[in-house]
Amino acid sequence: MTVASLPALVADIGGTNARFALADTQQAAPLLADTVREFAVADFPSLGDAARHYLEQIGADADRGVFAVAGRVDGDEARITNHPWVISRARTAHMLGFGQLHLINDFAAQAMAISLLQPSDVVQVGGAAWVPGKPGQPRNYAVIGPGTGLGVGGLILRHGRCYPLETEGGHVSFPPGTPEEIRILEILSEQFGRVSNERLICGPGLVNIHRAVCEMAGFDPGLLQPADVTARALQGDPQAMRAVDVFCAVFGAIAGDLVLIQGAWDGVFLTGGLVPKMLDSLQHSGFRQRFEHKGRFSSIMSRVPSLAVMHRHAGLLGAAAYAADIERDLPGGTA
C-alpha cells in the first residue's frame, strides 16, 4: 500500500456543528485551511450525508478520512453524546467510497492538534509560560474544553510520535470546593441526580450555574441561553457575574485536577467553543488560583502552563495531524 495522492477528508463533529476540510498528509502543515466548511448537524440525517454534501459543495474528491466525533468511539461505532446520530464506520466509508476511514474521539483530535500548534495559536492564562518541546523530547499534555459538552483528553509525545488519550473525563463526578459550590451541587442534584463536571462546565452548564445562583438569591431567572448569561454579566447583572466567576473557578479546579490525574506537567490546553469567548474572564478570575490550589502540589502546579487555544479549527487541525501520523510509516510516506 502506498500513500494516496488524493487528499484525506477530515471532520470535527460536535453536538451542534459539523466541520469538514481536506488534508494533504504529505505536508508539514497538512490542514488545507481554505477548504474548511461548517454545517449544522441538524440539517442532515447522518454523518455520511453531511460529508457527501461537503465534497459536492467544494467539488473535491477524497479516498480516505479521519472523522473526530463528540462521543465515545466503540469499535466500529460512535454515538454523538449531545445529538442523536449513531455513526457506523463501515457504513459511512461505503457511502463515501472510502478505502480507509478512522473514527476518533473529538478530544483525541484536540490532543493531536497540540503537535501542530504554534505559540501564536495560544494565549497564556496565568504566570506559567509554555515552551514547546524540541523534536524527540518527551512531553505529557492534557486538553480540556467546554462547548456543547465538556471534552477531556491528553497527548503523550515519545520518540517523536504522538499518542492521544481518548477519555470521557467530562462525565466524572463534580467535586465542589467551596460552601457555595456545595449548595450549587445540592440544587443541581435535585434536578439531575448525579452531577458530572459537564453539568457545570459547558455552555448549558453556565446556565445551570446561573440558575442555581439565582435560586440562592431567591428568584427564578427564566429560560436563558449561555449567551444571555454572558451578556447579562457584561451589563453588570450580579447573579450573571457571579455565575461566570463560579464557572471560571470550577473550570480551573477541574483543569488542575486533570493535570494531577494525567501527570500532564508540561501543560494543559483549554479548548472548545467557549474558551475564546470567555478568555478575558478566565484571565481575570479565580481560574488560575483554583488551578494551582492543590495542597502539597501547589508549588509544582504554579509552574504548569494553562493555555487557551485560539486556533479557529483546532479539531480539524488535530484530525489532519492524526491522518498524517497514520501514513508516516506507509511505503511512500515521510517517515
Side-chain angles (χ1 to χ4, degrees), residues 50-141:
R52 189 159 58 186
H53 174 78
Y54 166 80
L55 290 172
E56 291 172 352
Q57 185 183 82
I58 68 168
D61 292 317
D63 59 0
R64 65 208 189 282
V66 173
F67 292 175
V69 299
R72 183 171 179 266
V73 178
D74 186 5
D76 195 57
E77 186 176 275
R79 294 176 179 268
I80 304 296
T81 304
N82 292 296
H83 186 75
W85 277 357
V86 177
I87 300 163
S88 163
R89 185 200 60 78
R91 285 198 300 271
T92 304
H94 177 75
M95 184 176 183
L96 297 172
F98 283 4
Q100 186 181 66
L101 177 63
H102 296 269
L103 296 179
I104 63 174
N105 178 266
D106 61 332
F107 267 73
Q110 294 285 347
M112 285 294 293
I114 296 170
S115 67
L116 295 178
L117 289 175
Q118 302 300 312
S120 59
D121 293 322
V122 300
V123 173
Q124 181 176 321
V125 178
W130 177 45
V131 179
K134 298 177 182 178
Q137 189 174 20
R139 283 286 188 266
N140 284 17
Y141 294 118

Side-chain angles (χ1 to χ4, degrees), residues 200-222:
L200 289 86
I201 307 304
C202 66
L206 177 61
V207 175
N208 289 338
I209 294 172
H210 180 253
R211 189 177 64 253
V213 168
C214 289
E215 180 172 328
M216 286 187 283
F219 69 93
D220 183 350

Side-chain angles (χ1 to χ4, degrees), residues 23 30 52 75 92 94 110 119 131 167 172 185 223 230 232 234 247 250 260 272 278 290 309 314 320 334-335:
R52 189 159 58 186
T92 304
H94 177 75
Q110 294 285 347
V131 179
T167 87
V172 303
L185 174 60
L223 296 176
T230 54
R232 291 188 181 191
L234 289 172
F247 180 99
V250 171
L260 295 175
M278 300 186 70
R290 291 286 294 277
V309 176
T334 57

Side-chain angles (χ1 to χ4, degrees), residues 111 114 140-144 152-155 255 258-259 262-270:
I114 296 170
N140 284 17
Y141 294 118
V143 58
I144 182 170
V152 174
L155 183 70
L258 180 60
V259 169
Q262 293 185 186
W265 310 118
D266 297 304
V268 58
F269 288 78
L270 315 176

